[in-house]
Amino acid sequence: MKILIAGDWHSDLHEEPVYRAFQKLGHEARRFAWHEYFRIRSGGRMPNIFDTVNCKFQNKYMVGPRITKLNRDLIAKANEYHPDLLFIYRGTHITRDTLRAIKHSKPKTVLVGYNNDDPFSKAYSWWKWRHFLKAVPEYDLVLAYRQHNLREFEHAGAKQVRLLRSWFVPERNHPVSLSAGDRARFECDVVFVGHYEPDGRLELLESIVKQGFRLRLFGPGRGYRWQGWYPWIEKSTILKHLAPIKLIQGEDYNKALCGAKVALCFLSKLNRDTYTRRCFEIPATGTFMLSEYSNDLVTLYREGVEADYFRNPDELICKLRQYLNDDQLRKKVAQAGYQRVLTDGHDVVSRMKQVLKWVAPMLQGEVANG
């Protein structure tokens, strides 16, 4: 099968694992990355300030000649490549007319849209998802990240909607033994790797440090807007010793999880999350996961058996004491979580295999049964 994956591709965390998973499954895959359309190329000279601001404006508000060119080029790429499947990852910049044009010229190409964010959340600005939501009825299949988005996509006119949870990437998320240098950087009682939200997580982290637990914190720092820890971390008299918070990726991310006795998981209120990608990445490293509770998460990992949960600040501290004082229990639960994430097939290749099963009837011109 010929598969074209389109997405921003500003990092190798999102679209790239999808691309590689399709290849591992024996399919021919190609990339269409649109972050390149918003890079200023000045031939080694200092970029013109007007060009820089104009480029950022077009990327943020998804309007202007670069957006037009991006969409035209995607149509041209589809016409040139003749994909059986066009997989669009978080299609913020892709217009309804573009999907219509591709479907008109390539009626047998199956259009699949996947969004790891919540386009129906009221916390986002109205313009953020306007192209994506208008285009929802044009996709043959829309893949929802969350249970509550299923009905919302149906109301938005989706032809067919399926739940596609996030995943872990075995090459990135796995148990590893740390060197002496790695232990100095990453070893701790508790780690949280993730972004800042004004949802009480700062106060929870403060309470952990107050109890004398050794905490490490990694995530977006300066230069990041809503998700950065700056300046909140510097304002905290309890946590400011952790500043500056640094974003870690790749093998360092894996080592940061493996270096902790307990890895925390907070659920984004911005995206109305009931689980998150780290709910698979943490157990895949063999590290004990302590997460905010949700009714959804307990269907993935049994409470106190394969992971554990907290519902309030007191329960968080109580369970940290319990597991940090009982190495045998903590390791037992962590190992059970590790086995569960593998057995249930929460890796990216298994996810894409499921996508292809959903797509198969469409490629054959059939209507998939619910």
PDB file of all heavy atoms in Angstrom, residues 183-198:
ATOM      1  N   ARG A 183      23.008   8.598  36.404  1.00  0.00           N
ATOM      2  CA  ARG A 183      22.369   8.595  37.716  1.00  0.00           C
ATOM      3  C   ARG A 183      22.484   9.958  38.384  1.00  0.00           C
ATOM      4  O   ARG A 183      21.552  10.419  39.053  1.00  0.00           O
ATOM      5  CB  ARG A 183      22.985   7.508  38.606  1.00  0.00           C
ATOM      6  CG  ARG A 183      22.600   6.089  38.198  1.00  0.00           C
ATOM      7  CD  ARG A 183      22.875   5.089  39.312  1.00  0.00           C
ATOM      8  NE  ARG A 183      24.293   5.022  39.636  1.00  0.00           N
ATOM      9  CZ  ARG A 183      25.163   4.232  39.019  1.00  0.00           C
ATOM     10  NH1 ARG A 183      24.761   3.445  38.033  1.00  0.00           N
ATOM     11  NH2 ARG A 183      26.443   4.225  39.390  1.00  0.00           N
ATOM     12  N   ALA A 184      23.606  10.605  38.190  1.00  0.00           N
ATOM     13  CA  ALA A 184      23.789  11.944  38.765  1.00  0.00           C
ATOM     14  C   ALA A 184      22.807  12.943  38.172  1.00  0.00           C
ATOM     15  O   ALA A 184      22.365  13.876  38.846  1.00  0.00           O
ATOM     16  CB  ALA A 184      25.219  12.421  38.538  1.00  0.00           C
ATOM     17  N   ARG A 185      22.440  12.741  36.916  1.00  0.00           N
ATOM     18  CA  ARG A 185      21.524  13.660  36.227  1.00  0.00           C
ATOM     19  C   ARG A 185      20.056  13.322  36.468  1.00  0.00           C
ATOM     20  O   ARG A 185      19.210  14.220  36.533  1.00  0.00           O
ATOM     21  CB  ARG A 185      21.779  13.638  34.717  1.00  0.00           C
ATOM     22  CG  ARG A 185      23.102  14.201  34.263  1.00  0.00           C
ATOM     23  CD  ARG A 185      23.245  14.048  32.759  1.00  0.00           C
ATOM     24  NE  ARG A 185      22.204  14.810  32.053  1.00  0.00           N
ATOM     25  CZ  ARG A 185      21.872  14.580  30.780  1.00  0.00           C
ATOM     26  NH1 ARG A 185      22.443  13.601  30.096  1.00  0.00           N
ATOM     27  NH2 ARG A 185      20.952  15.316  30.204  1.00  0.00           N
ATOM     28  N   PHE A 186      19.749  12.038  36.594  1.00  0.00           N
ATOM     29  CA  PHE A 186      18.355  11.631  36.528  1.00  0.00           C
ATOM     30  C   PHE A 186      17.818  10.888  37.749  1.00  0.00           C
ATOM     31  O   PHE A 186      16.599  10.782  37.911  1.00  0.00           O
ATOM     32  CB  PHE A 186      18.125  10.764  35.282  1.00  0.00           C
ATOM     33  CG  PHE A 186      18.449  11.461  33.985  1.00  0.00           C
ATOM     34  CD1 PHE A 186      19.453  10.984  33.156  1.00  0.00           C
ATOM     35  CD2 PHE A 186      17.748  12.580  33.601  1.00  0.00           C
ATOM     36  CE1 PHE A 186      19.753  11.615  31.956  1.00  0.00           C
ATOM     37  CE2 PHE A 186      18.035  13.221  32.404  1.00  0.00           C
ATOM     38  CZ  PHE A 186      19.041  12.742  31.587  1.00  0.00           C
ATOM     39  N   GLU A 187      18.665  10.347  38.593  1.00  0.00           N
ATOM     40  CA  GLU A 187      18.172   9.546  39.706  1.00  0.00           C
ATOM     41  C   GLU A 187      17.398  10.420  40.699  1.00  0.00           C
ATOM     42  O   GLU A 187      17.836  11.516  41.050  1.00  0.00           O
ATOM     43  CB  GLU A 187      19.337   8.865  40.409  1.00  0.00           C
ATOM     44  CG  GLU A 187      18.962   7.563  41.105  1.00  0.00           C
ATOM     45  CD  GLU A 187      20.189   6.766  41.516  1.00  0.00           C
ATOM     46  OE1 GLU A 187      21.031   7.319  42.246  1.00  0.00           O
ATOM     47  OE2 GLU A 187      20.310   5.603  41.082  1.00  0.00           O
ATOM     48  N   CYS A 188      16.253   9.932  41.148  1.00  0.00           N
ATOM     49  CA  CYS A 188      15.417  10.698  42.078  1.00  0.00           C
ATOM     50  C   CYS A 188      14.308   9.812  42.627  1.00  0.00           C
ATOM     51  O   CYS A 188      14.114   8.677  42.178  1.00  0.00           O
ATOM     52  CB  CYS A 188      14.806  11.917  41.384  1.00  0.00           C
ATOM     53  SG  CYS A 188      13.734  11.507  39.986  1.00  0.00           S
ATOM     54  N   ASP A 189      13.583  10.344  43.611  1.00  0.00           N
ATOM     55  CA  ASP A 189      12.405   9.645  44.119  1.00  0.00           C
ATOM     56  C   ASP A 189      11.237   9.781  43.139  1.00  0.00           C
ATOM     57  O   ASP A 189      10.556   8.802  42.813  1.00  0.00           O
ATOM     58  CB  ASP A 189      11.983  10.222  45.474  1.00  0.00           C
ATOM     59  CG  ASP A 189      12.996   9.970  46.564  1.00  0.00           C
ATOM     60  OD1 ASP A 189      13.621   8.899  46.556  1.00  0.00           O
ATOM     61  OD2 ASP A 189      13.178  10.861  47.416  1.00  0.00           O
ATOM     62  N   VAL A 190      11.007  11.006  42.698  1.00  0.00           N
ATOM     63  CA  VAL A 190       9.828  11.322  41.894  1.00  0.00           C
ATOM     64  C   VAL A 190      10.241  12.192  40.712  1.00  0.00           C
ATOM     65  O   VAL A 190      11.020  13.142  40.878  1.00  0.00           O
ATOM     66  CB  VAL A 190       8.766  12.087  42.712  1.00  0.00           C
ATOM     67  CG1 VAL A 190       7.495  12.286  41.895  1.00  0.00           C
ATOM     68  CG2 VAL A 190       8.461  11.348  44.013  1.00  0.00           C
ATOM     69  N   VAL A 191       9.719  11.886  39.541  1.00  0.00           N
ATOM     70  CA  VAL A 191       9.973  12.725  38.375  1.00  0.00           C
ATOM     71  C   VAL A 191       8.648  13.089  37.711  1.00  0.00           C
ATOM     72  O   VAL A 191       7.696  12.284  37.711  1.00  0.00           O
ATOM     73  CB  VAL A 191      10.889  12.019  37.347  1.00  0.00           C
ATOM     74  CG1 VAL A 191      10.183  10.859  36.651  1.00  0.00           C
ATOM     75  CG2 VAL A 191      11.410  13.007  36.304  1.00  0.00           C
ATOM     76  N   PHE A 192       8.591  14.305  37.195  1.00  0.00           N
ATOM     77  CA  PHE A 192       7.510  14.662  36.276  1.00  0.00           C
ATOM     78  C   PHE A 192       8.147  15.266  35.042  1.00  0.00           C
ATOM     79  O   PHE A 192       8.948  16.199  35.130  1.00  0.00           O
ATOM     80  CB  PHE A 192       6.519  15.658  36.880  1.00  0.00           C
ATOM     81  CG  PHE A 192       5.480  16.100  35.871  1.00  0.00           C
ATOM     82  CD1 PHE A 192       4.580  15.178  35.344  1.00  0.00           C
ATOM     83  CD2 PHE A 192       5.426  17.409  35.418  1.00  0.00           C
ATOM     84  CE1 PHE A 192       3.640  15.554  34.391  1.00  0.00           C
ATOM     85  CE2 PHE A 192       4.487  17.803  34.476  1.00  0.00           C
ATOM     86  CZ  PHE A 192       3.594  16.877  33.953  1.00  0.00           C
ATOM     87  N   VAL A 193       7.787  14.711  33.893  1.00  0.00           N
ATOM     88  CA  VAL A 193       8.244  15.230  32.611  1.00  0.00           C
ATOM     89  C   VAL A 193       7.001  15.691  31.862  1.00  0.00           C
ATOM     90  O   VAL A 193       6.143  14.881  31.506  1.00  0.00           O
ATOM     91  CB  VAL A 193       8.992  14.165  31.788  1.00  0.00           C
ATOM     92  CG1 VAL A 193       9.552  14.789  30.516  1.00  0.00           C
ATOM     93  CG2 VAL A 193      10.101  13.522  32.603  1.00  0.00           C
ATOM     94  N   GLY A 194       6.891  16.991  31.644  1.00  0.00           N
ATOM     95  CA  GLY A 194       5.711  17.481  30.956  1.00  0.00           C
ATOM     96  C   GLY A 194       5.583  18.986  31.055  1.00  0.00           C
ATOM     97  O   GLY A 194       6.450  19.672  31.603  1.00  0.00           O
ATOM     98  N   HIS A 195       4.492  19.496  30.540  1.00  0.00           N
ATOM     99  CA  HIS A 195       4.296  20.939  30.463  1.00  0.00           C
ATOM    100  C   HIS A 195       3.586  21.478  31.705  1.00  0.00           C
ATOM    101  O   HIS A 195       3.052  20.730  32.516  1.00  0.00           O
ATOM    102  CB  HIS A 195       3.504  21.303  29.205  1.00  0.00           C
ATOM    103  CG  HIS A 195       2.087  20.813  29.225  1.00  0.00           C
ATOM    104  ND1 HIS A 195       1.691  19.617  28.674  1.00  0.00           N
ATOM    105  CD2 HIS A 195       0.953  21.372  29.737  1.00  0.00           C
ATOM    106  CE1 HIS A 195       0.381  19.459  28.831  1.00  0.00           C
ATOM    107  NE2 HIS A 195      -0.085  20.513  29.475  1.00  0.00           N
ATOM    108  N   TYR A 196       3.592  22.785  31.813  1.00  0.00           N
ATOM    109  CA  TYR A 196       2.885  23.474  32.893  1.00  0.00           C
ATOM    110  C   TYR A 196       1.465  23.810  32.448  1.00  0.00           C
ATOM    111  O   TYR A 196       1.218  24.202  31.313  1.00  0.00           O
ATOM    112  CB  TYR A 196       3.606  24.775  33.261  1.00  0.00           C
ATOM    113  CG  TYR A 196       2.777  25.671  34.169  1.00  0.00           C
ATOM    114  CD1 TYR A 196       2.723  25.439  35.537  1.00  0.00           C
ATOM    115  CD2 TYR A 196       2.022  26.731  33.641  1.00  0.00           C
ATOM    116  CE1 TYR A 196       1.952  26.238  36.367  1.00  0.00           C
ATOM    117  CE2 TYR A 196       1.252  27.542  34.465  1.00  0.00           C
ATOM    118  CZ  TYR A 196       1.218  27.287  35.822  1.00  0.00           C
ATOM    119  OH  TYR A 196       0.445  28.075  36.639  1.00  0.00           O
ATOM    120  N   GLU A 197       0.543  23.619  33.370  1.00  0.00           N
ATOM    121  CA  GLU A 197      -0.818  24.147  33.222  1.00  0.00           C
ATOM    122  C   GLU A 197      -1.241  24.689  34.580  1.00  0.00           C
ATOM    123  O   GLU A 197      -0.842  24.144  35.618  1.00  0.00           O
ATOM    124  CB  GLU A 197      -1.808  23.061  32.772  1.00  0.00           C
ATOM    125  CG  GLU A 197      -1.769  22.741  31.301  1.00  0.00           C
ATOM    126  CD  GLU A 197      -2.932  21.845  30.865  1.00  0.00           C
ATOM    127  OE1 GLU A 197      -4.007  21.894  31.518  1.00  0.00           O
ATOM    128  OE2 GLU A 197      -2.772  21.100  29.883  1.00  0.00           O
ATOM    129  N   PRO A 198      -2.049  25.737  34.598  1.00  0.00           N
ATOM    130  CA  PRO A 198      -2.522  26.290  35.880  1.00  0.00           C
ATOM    131  C   PRO A 198      -3.676  25.482  36.453  1.00  0.00           C
ATOM    132  O   PRO A 198      -4.774  25.984  36.691  1.00  0.00           O
ATOM    133  CB  PRO A 198      -2.958  27.709  35.492  1.00  0.00           C
ATOM    134  CG  PRO A 198      -3.406  27.576  34.065  1.00  0.00           C
ATOM    135  CD  PRO A 198      -2.482  26.562  33.446  1.00  0.00           C
TER     136      PRO A 198
END
